[in-house]
Amino acid sequence: MEPDMLSPFEKLTDLMTNLEEFDLPAIYDILGQLCKTLRVSKGVTTFYADAEHERKGDGEPFVCYDSGEKHFLIASRRLVSPTGMIITCDVFQAEGAQPLTEPERKKVDIIQRMMLTCLNRPRQEKIIERLMYYDNDGYKNIRLFYSRIGRLLAQGGLAGWTGARIDLKHFSAVNEQAGKENGDIVLRNYGKMLEKAMGKEGIVCRLGGDNFVLLFSTEKLGAVTEILHGASVRYGEEPEQEAEISAFAGVCSFTEGDRIPNPGGVMERIIPPYQIAKRDNHPDIIFYDQSFLQEKKHAAKVQRKFNKALENENIVVYYQPKVDIQSRKIVGAEALCRWIWKGDIIPPMEFIPILERGNDICRLDFYMLDHVCKDIRRWLDEGKQPVRISVNLSRMHMSDKKLFEHIVSIIDANHVPRGLIEIELTETTTDVEFRDLKRVVGQLQEAEIATSVDDFGVGYSSLNLIKQIPWDVLKLDKSILPSDAEEERGNHMFAHVIAMAHEIGLICVAEGVETEEQLEIMRNYGCRIAQGFLFDRPMPVADFEKKLEEKQAVTVLEGLADEADHGSLFTQ
Ligand code: C2E
Ligand code: MG
Ligand code: MG
């Protein structure tokens, strides 16, 4: 080999065998020099996805050198990769050029072989990347998210980066109104908007449906949150072809001190705030902070200590009276749990949401029902007149096909008249739950166990819920009890709910009654039973027993039945 040929050849070999970095422009540059020296006028490498594409001539060409002269083919090589992809390398000479010598032909052949094997690699990587990191609709996927985080972690950490888990709000409504195809366009355009706001380094990866995870430079946080709060997204040229899209999001901006061991650690920081953002009465975008770490520790502790707490009876029943507002007598009570922990009284909202993440809540509810039944049995045995006690049941029970049997077996095992128990249930979020709820309430009604809709007026309450299910009692959440008689809209709604409930034979109980003014509003609209701090706070059983002796309505049970029938009840 001549000395001036050696160096570009060697350089080409070096560049093509460098596994760390594949410097395509430098390779093209050397190939250009070699082509000129070897009197080659054009070199083309073509990728075909498979034999079928090759047959149709449907390939993706890379021209590494082209002198622009009229030329004819002098050498062709072909490689079939293990995945079935075909790569060809064609070399041309200009018309009238001096033909290649035998040693020159050999050199061309070596270059062709190198081109085929080496160019195959980045191409393969690209294809693998597409398959690995993109879903069927062409969206980047969670693997890309993980891979990008892994790379950042390997390069020194995530400081300066922000991760987010998002879910578009009411996106099904967009699909319904604009059609599925336009919905897809909206989804894609919203993703593009986010990507644009994030800059080149940011990625939007789809988890499925309208759920995404984002990773971007914290510098772009303002621009990204603006879009998450709400953006108009077009899906056509017409003025009305536009949808307003916003998202629920859990966001975490990483700083130097953050120790994130692996990509899963990012998920642990963006999912908990996302779950809270999705709940009612919470901001749509929630940032991870120290309180989440404490919450995680607290949740682990609650789950660890719960079994022992039940065993040692550290969870106790508090009773909050329900009062007839005319006579101010007690006509019933709600059983509310309290956890006695190292002498402190822990309210249910501090542990029930944690127990609801698993099955522990169901054990708690059955424990509560059992303890309430035992108290009622004791009152009966001591000759005291009991009132009907309502027990809360989490909606987590709904999937339990034996729920009804379980409730009845606890009541019957304690020899408690079924009419002394009322089961409080809340609204459901899904159609399946709704069907289960309807079935359970129907079964309880047949067994003469009363049921109530708890917290009516918040969350997912719908009129369907009270029309289609045979409840006995409607418990109105404190948020729909107006605090002021002047509050027109609130009073109007309250009046209508009471009227409708009475019309279909439901007893109404107003929860969270705190002021005389609220009592006056209840009187105005005919809501007769109140449960609230104005009368009593939830109290331990001994205090409740004393209260009951002083203030019990004599006609409690008959009264309850009467109200449904005649709309006039608890008159003394
Ligand atoms: P809930 O069933 O709606 O119970 C009424 C809640 O309102 C009780 O809170 C009660 O103390 C509170 N409350 C009563 N009157 C007033 C008032 O005048 N003003 C205000 N601001 N609040 C009032 P508590 O005891 O903290 O219970 C909270 C929730 O925890 C209950 O709401 C219920 O959903 C749940 N819960 C309590 N015990 C159990 C249980 O044994 N099982 C299940 N599954 N849930 C329970
Ligand atoms: Mg309740
Ligand atoms: Mg309630």
Side-chain angles (χ1 to χ4, degrees):
M1 218 172 268
E2 289 160 31
D4 65 325
M5 283 293 296
L6 260 181
S7 99
F9 229 101
E10 271 177 354
K11 236 177 162 180
L12 182 64
T13 317
D14 274 0
L15 283 169
M16 283 202 167
T17 50
N18 182 353
L19 291 170
E20 295 288 295
E21 192 191 3
F22 203 73
D23 189 352
L24 212 53
I27 290 172
Y28 278 4
D29 189 44
I30 304 263
L31 280 169
Q33 291 178 32
L34 282 165
C35 287
K36 275 188 208 153
T37 332
L38 290 164
R39 297 188 305 288
V40 165
S41 64
K42 186 177 176 182
V44 186
T45 309
T46 311
F47 297 92
Y48 299 98
D50 49 40
E52 178 66 13
H53 280 80
E54 188 188 29
R55 203 180 48 75
K56 288 191 198 148
D58 183 10
E60 206 182 322
F62 283 89
V63 179
C64 64
Y65 176 75
D66 188 354
S67 67
E69 293 161 274
K70 210 160 182 269
H71 45 231
F72 61 95
L73 184 70
I74 57 159
S76 188
R77 271 212 161 268
R78 182 172 179 272
L79 176 116
V80 181
S81 81
T83 54
M85 186 172 68
I86 293 161
I87 314 175
T88 58
C89 182
D90 296 333
V91 175
F92 303 82
Q93 260 204 311
E95 277 175 11
Q98 200 186 340
L100 300 191
T101 60
E102 202 41 42
E104 281 171 338
R105 268 202 174 273
K106 279 192 181 142
K107 277 171 204 155
V108 167
D109 191 51
I110 293 170
I111 295 171
Q112 278 182 307
R113 284 167 195 258
M114 274 208 287
M115 292 283 290
L116 290 179
T117 47
C118 298
L119 283 187
N120 185 26
R121 183 163 57 87
R123 188 69 195 162
Q124 294 271 21
E125 277 170 8
K126 262 211 168 121
I127 289 171
I128 291 167
E129 185 180 285
R130 263 225 93 70
L131 290 173
M132 279 272 293
Y133 296 134
Y134 290 78
D135 68 15
N136 288 342
D137 298 324
Y139 287 98
K140 295 181 178 81
N141 66 18
I142 184 76
R143 279 194 293 264
L144 182 66
F145 186 72
Y146 278 172
S147 142
R148 193 63 67 84
I149 293 167
R151 206 168 72 200
L152 288 169
L153 290 176
Q155 287 168 354
L158 291 171
W161 288 88
T162 293
R165 158 81 169 92
I166 70 165
D167 177 3
L168 308 195
K169 283 172 78 176
H170 315 304
F171 195 71
S172 48
V174 175
N175 276 332
E176 267 165 38
Q177 279 159 23
K180 173 87 174 58
E181 254 169 50
N182 287 328
D184 288 347
I185 298 173
V186 170
L187 201 63
R188 205 168 288 281
N189 288 346
Y190 190 70
K192 279 187 193 153
M193 245 181 198
L194 283 169
E195 248 162 354
K196 195 162 167 223
M198 287 173 181
K200 262 209 328 272
E201 294 171 312
I203 47 170
V204 176
C205 301
R206 194 190 193 189
L207 299 171
D210 57 352
N211 287 270
F212 296 87
V213 279
L214 321 176
L215 186 70
F216 53 95
S217 159
T218 304
E219 282 171 15
K220 311 285 186 190
L221 184 60
V224 173
T225 44
E226 202 180 312
I227 295 175
L228 296 179
H229 275 301
S232 301
V233 184
R234 300 212 58 84
Y235 56 90
E237 296 300 317
E238 300 302 318
E240 74 280 2
Q241 290 182 312
E242 188 174 63
E244 187 66 21
I245 304 292
S246 58
F248 295 112
V251 185
C252 179
S253 291
F254 298 95
T255 54
E256 286 297 342
D258 284 324
R259 257 181 260 286
I260 306 292
N262 49 40
V266 171
M267 288 313 219
E268 281 177 23
R269 295 245 177 147
I270 58 177
I271 289 176
Y274 159 78
Q275 284 167 336
I276 293 176
K278 284 202 72 167
R279 287 185 205 150
D280 289 333
N281 306 319
H282 284 82
D284 291 342
I285 301 180
I286 294 191
F287 285 82
Y288 181 91
D289 60 24
Q290 280 306 309
S291 62
F292 282 95
L293 233 130
Q294 279 156 10
E295 207 279 333
K296 201 173 149 190
K297 282 189 193 150
H298 171 70
K301 197 165 162 187
V302 164
Q303 278 158 345
R304 251 194 346 265
K305 305 265 180 195
F306 176 67
N307 284 339
K308 269 263 165 306
L310 280 194
E311 245 173 61
N312 298 340
E313 311 234 324
N314 289 335
I315 293 180
V316 299
V317 184
Y318 269 44
Y319 291 91
Q320 185 178 31
K322 293 173 193 168
V323 178
D324 169 20
I325 63 170
Q326 279 190 357
S327 65
R328 303 225 167 192
K329 300 264 185 196
I330 295 173
V331 293
E334 175 172 9
L336 295 156
C337 63
R338 298 289 183 266
W339 188 332
I340 313 292
W341 190 324
K342 294 183 183 159
D344 288 334
I345 299 164
I346 315 287
M349 282 340 250
E350 285 188 29
F351 57 90
I352 284 190
I354 298 166
L355 300 180
E356 280 185 329
R357 292 178 201 167
N359 235 358
D360 284 339
I361 186 65
C362 300
R363 293 175 51 214
L364 172 77
D365 288 346
F366 292 137
Y367 168 99
M368 287 288 290
L369 177 61
D370 186 52
H371 280 65
V372 165
C373 287
K374 287 192 163 58
D375 282 340
I376 297 178
R377 185 64 253 161
R378 188 168 44 75
W379 297 333
L380 290 169
D381 293 343
E382 288 169 1
K384 290 176 179 147
Q385 159 100 56
V387 286
R388 187 158 92 193
I389 307 292
S390 62
V391 175
N392 291 282
L393 236 59
S394 162
R395 68 159 78 101
M396 295 297 145
H397 289 276
M398 280 311 128
S399 56
D400 175 3
K401 294 282 173 271
K402 293 240 172 305
L403 176 62
F404 166 72
E405 286 81 2
H406 210 146
I407 294 171
V408 171
S409 72
I410 293 173
I411 300 172
D412 291 354
N414 283 291
H415 306 291
V416 164
R418 291 178 183 177
L420 285 173
I421 295 290
E422 177 179 319
I423 301 291
E424 292 195 13
L425 293 155
T426 53
E427 307 102 301
T428 55
T429 50
T430 65
D431 290 349
V432 175
E433 263 186 11
F434 186 88
R435 274 205 305 276
D436 289 336
L437 188 65
K438 200 172 169 180
R439 173 178 45 79
V440 171
V441 174
Q443 287 171 317
L444 289 168
Q445 192 195 38
E446 257 179 50
E448 290 174 2
I449 298 167
T451 51
S452 45
V453 195
D454 199 1
D455 305 335
F456 184 80
V458 287
Y460 297 87
S461 21
S462 72
L463 294 182
N464 253 354
L465 176 92
I466 47 176
K467 275 199 263 168
Q468 292 190 16
I469 299 184
W471 305 99
D472 299 283
V473 179
L474 189 63
K475 293 195 77 183
L476 305 163
D477 187 76
K478 51 183 168 288
S479 62
I480 69 159
L481 174 61
S483 51
D484 185 342
E486 303 295 299
E487 207 184 290
E488 227 176 274
R489 253 179 79 87
N491 276 269
H492 209 60
M493 186 177 83
F494 187 71
H496 278 279
V497 170
I498 302 286
M500 180 204 59
H502 283 166
E503 224 166 83
I504 53 177
L506 291 171
I507 297 169
C508 289
V509 176
E511 290 186 295
V513 182
E514 292 181 352
T515 64
E516 287 290 345
E517 196 159 8
Q518 287 174 320
L519 215 54
E520 191 51 39
I521 292 168
M522 288 179 65
R523 262 186 223 114
N524 287 346
Y525 301 120
C527 177
R528 294 280 300 275
I529 308 172
Q531 179 186 340
F533 296 168
L534 179 66
F535 298 98
D536 303 285
R537 289 185 174 255
M539 60 189 87
V541 61
D543 295 354
F544 178 64
E545 284 170 16
K546 264 188 236 142
K547 255 250 130 79
L548 206 53
E549 271 166 34
E550 291 162 18
K551 291 201 161 187
Q552 185 171 11
V554 187
T555 55
V556 180
L557 291 170
E558 297 79 40
L560 279 169
D562 281 353
E563 182 186 34
D565 294 345
H566 316 296
S568 70
L569 108 128
F570 299 137
T571 35
Q572 289 278 299

